[in-house]
Amino acid sequence: MTQHVGELHPPVRLMLTPGPSSIDPRVYRAMATPLVGHMDPWFKGCMDETQILLRHIFQTENRITMPLSASGSGGIEASVLNTLEEGDEGIVAVNGVFSERMYEIATRASSKVVKVEAPYGKPVDAEDVRRAGKGKKIKIIGFAHGETSTGVVTGIDAYRKVADDLGALLIVDTVASLAAVPLDVDKQRIDVCFSGSQKAISAPPGMSPITVSPAAEEVFRKRKTKVQSWYFDLTTAMNYWAKTGCIITHRRFR
């Protein structure tokens, strides 16, 4: 057991896969800077700047806009489990592997979730979602804006109209689409929008940017039960976010 292991020297690759993607030299330089503790005063300023940049890329003024220490799948879990409580009804549009994952996570929230499907390679028609929710008290409608597994981009505006008509929150997976295709969270009135750092943002894997509208934030505050996931519980973090930008990181680094 004395085999020597040298320093890490990975090869240089041009990555054209759905993710991870090649990283800009500025990102590599930032990763080589000194490590600063999350209690350091400088770190608070860094988190504030991170929020500014994330609001810019999401095109939003949402107070709750932050990076989660997680993959895009963690973004799905945070979005779904913070909105749903036991007995709530929801609809998830499924047209690929990752929208299927949103549905699977939603079923674990002890809620009544309906799956509306389309063949892989096709978007789910928003009118099919409307028909599935007719006469029901729908709390969320979720779908993948860019379905990584097929490359299909689904229009947001028709879903927003259906969500308005059904009185539902709109959850949008933009893991594959944020910074790749036009997205305006505020103008398109998305309630919960999440992404992943390793796709078009061109950063290393391991972060899931998320932004929460005031309407969704209010739903979080009015929950009657605790969020089923402690790690992805946003209801406690958002109580302190305005006071200290690094509170979410305090919890994630432990």
Side-chain angles (χ1 to χ4, degrees):
M1 302 298 291
T2 58
Q3 184 177 357
H4 176 71
V5 177
E7 293 186 25
L8 187 66
H9 290 292
V12 176
R13 306 288 196 210
L14 175 62
M15 292 182 286
L16 301 176
T17 63
S21 59
S22 295
I23 296 175
D24 189 276
R26 290 180 59 199
V27 179
Y28 283 124
R29 290 196 295 271
M31 293 172 65
T33 56
L35 181 67
V36 176
H38 61 278
M39 301 296 288
D40 191 290
W42 178 89
F43 197 84
K44 167 63 166 62
C46 180
M47 289 301 296
D48 289 344
E49 291 177 352
T50 300
Q51 280 191 285
I52 290 170
L53 292 170
L54 286 179
R55 289 189 181 109
H56 177 72
I57 197 171
F58 277 120
Q59 290 293 284
T60 185
E61 297 296 328
N62 288 340
R63 187 178 76 96
I64 306 301
T65 303
M66 67 188 94
L68 300 176
S69 297
S71 67
S73 295
I76 300 175
E77 188 157 324
S79 300
V80 171
L81 295 187
N82 278 269
T83 51
L84 288 176
E85 295 187 74
E86 184 174 358
D88 285 340
E89 296 186 79
I91 300 172
V92 176
V94 174
N95 65 332
V97 172
F98 294 95
S99 46
E100 177 74 37
R101 186 170 298 177
M102 183 187 290
Y103 170 74
E104 170 65 22
I105 291 172
T107 62
R108 299 187 182 194
S110 300
S111 53
K112 303 172 184 176
V113 182
V114 175
K115 180 197 300 186
V116 179
E117 296 184 86
Y120 281 20
K122 301 287 185 181
V124 177
D125 191 328
E127 289 306 310
D128 289 342
V129 173
R130 182 194 302 278
R131 282 187 284 272
K134 186 176 181 180
K136 300 177 181 178
K137 189 177 181 181
I138 302 299
K139 190 172 187 182
I140 70 159
I141 294 173
F143 74 100
H145 180 221
E147 173 53 69
T148 305
S149 65
T150 63
V152 171
V153 176
T154 298
I156 295 172
D157 295 343
Y159 274 80
R160 179 67 264 176
K161 188 176 188 307
V162 171
D164 286 340
D165 293 344
L166 296 177
L169 295 175
L170 187 63
I171 299 177
V172 182
D173 176 339
T174 63
V175 171
S177 57
L178 185 65
V181 297
L183 177 77
D184 193 313
V185 166
D186 284 358
K187 284 185 179 179
Q188 294 175 294
R189 297 189 297 116
I190 300 170
D191 291 301
V192 184
C193 187
F194 63 90
S195 189
S197 54
Q198 78 279 17
K199 306 285 186 177
I201 295 175
S202 297
M207 289 195 300
S208 179
I210 190 169
T211 187
V212 178
S213 73
E217 187 178 342
E218 185 64 18
V219 168
F220 293 177
R221 293 190 185 282
K222 291 181 177 179
R223 287 183 62 96
K224 298 180 177 64
T225 58
K226 290 183 178 180
V227 177
Q228 285 186 298
S229 170
W230 182 92
Y231 190 80
F232 293 116
D233 184 353
L234 302 179
T235 64
T236 54
M238 69 186 190
N239 291 330
Y240 302 99
W241 191 256
K243 298 178 183 178
T244 169
C246 51
I247 186 68
I248 194 76
T249 311
H250 290 175
R251 299 174 68 229
R252 299 299 183 253
F253 277 156
R254 288 192 60 188

